[in-house]
Amino acid sequence: MHGRNTSPSPSSSSPTDRRLSALARHLEGSSPTAMASGNQSIAAAPTSGSTGSRSVFDHVVQGPEDAILGVTVAYNKDSSPVKLNLGVGAYRTEEGKPLVLNVVRKSEQMLVNDSSRVKEYLPIVGLADFNKLSAKLILGADSPAIQENRVTTVQCLSGTGSLRVGAEFLARHYHEHTIYIPLPTWGNHPKVFGLAGLSVKTYRYYNPATRGLDFEGLLEDLSSAPSGAIVLLHACAHNPTGVDPTTQQWQQIRQLMRSKALLPFFDSAYQGFASGNLDQDALSVRMFVNDGGECLAAQSYAKNLGLYGERVGALSIVCKTADVAGRVESQLKLVIRPMYSNPPLHGASIVATILKDRALFEEWTIELKAMADRIISMRHQLFDALRSRGTPGDWSHIIKQIGMFTFTGLNSDQVAFMTKEYHIYMTSDGRISMAGLSLRTVPHLADAIHAAVTRAA
């Protein structure tokens, strides 16, 4: 054995040694001969966690809390026994607890008991039954667009994901890159569309003086929009104001938009949750589809089926012909694939199970109406409580508005006062979630509003 070189040669070294040597050469920029010996140590890279090294992310500043989700963060830190969270857009029972619908529990049990189900990837566009039934739910089973195969529907990550996929598609394939959104609107809308590459502008929607719709301002702003611009429309239960156009006003909006070739993009987050009637809450969308024109519609099942954490949504694009719809779908796949590849299975399976089973569907409509009716009841309870206290101002807008939210008209100073003195949490624009109220908490809120109006005006 004397005179023999015992250090491992490249050919006899282990695969692990060879990978480490190659990695070390890459990190250090050394030549192969300098690293010929496999027992050289690898120096820490700048991105490693070695003691004393600065992070490559030291320059990153603390980001602000989301304006809406941040309310819940602040609420959770409050130890007061009377604290009340009216910021979160989620339904609560009379006891203030999250609700899982009975029909959801039933459908989940059916899915669990089906031993043939597997956990394979869905196609890029999602669950076929879910897509087909979602289009029928919002457009109507007798929709001419569906019958003529002019609709392409893809499963997305709830309403936000549906909006983002639609926005990305429009940024790539639509000739006009300006989208008009109502003022005010959901706080995430400008971010979703802006980050997708669209230029975001606003049109007048809410009139603070009347706490109702600024219809004349809306028409004037849309009339001034360039031909072909995209217009975001809340299908029902406008967030945050709870103010919706009347059927006649919707017709005028439709006529104006079609005359200027403006492209409607509906956000339908509350179908059935606003009035308690699925068809009633889809009338605005169906008006635009039934005239033969094109439009987009983003759906969410977070509110109306209580599937908040399942992130179940759909994007439907209504086209002029079946051929165009097919090509649009092919491009939607190219948007989705590098974004999240394909959507999750479980939530869409719950929805499809309910929508295709007549008994489950009927049970859902009953539970849905019960939720909507409780919110309407809370509106009347709060209105009566303020009136009985003689709270200054006209609070009739509380019972005129519709859906989950009420735009109270309280200013940011009044909101801050209510948070500090009464431990009531809401967004700074005065929006409150009626679904977060109960018979027990209405008096506390009414006392806080009365005090805010009379002492913190």
Side-chain angles (χ1 to χ4, degrees), residues 245-312:
T246 65
T247 301
Q248 184 178 7
Q249 287 172 332
W250 271 121
Q251 286 288 13
Q252 289 181 255
I253 293 169
R254 182 190 63 79
Q255 290 166 359
L256 170 62
M257 289 182 61
R258 292 309 193 197
S259 71
K260 290 187 60 67
L262 301 175
L263 182 64
F265 194 156
F266 283 96
D267 185 357
S268 178
Y270 304 98
Q271 185 181 357
F273 203 85
S275 68
N277 184 293
L278 289 160
D279 292 323
Q280 176 66 32
D281 292 348
L283 279 180
S284 60
V285 182
R286 294 176 187 181
M287 278 183 194
F288 280 80
V289 174
N290 293 342
D291 69 6
E294 294 175 296
C295 67
L296 294 84
Q299 290 171 268
S300 167
Y301 289 96
K303 309 296 191 299
N304 57 18
L305 266 169
L307 296 174
Y308 304 97
E310 299 291 354
R311 312 307 294 143
V312 196

Side-chain angles (χ1 to χ4, degrees), residues 348-366:
S349 299
I350 294 171
V351 175
T353 300
I354 293 168
L355 294 185
K356 66 186 176 185
D357 184 294
R358 179 168 294 184
L360 289 177
F361 183 85
E362 289 300 321
E363 185 174 349
W364 175 41
T365 62
I366 293 169

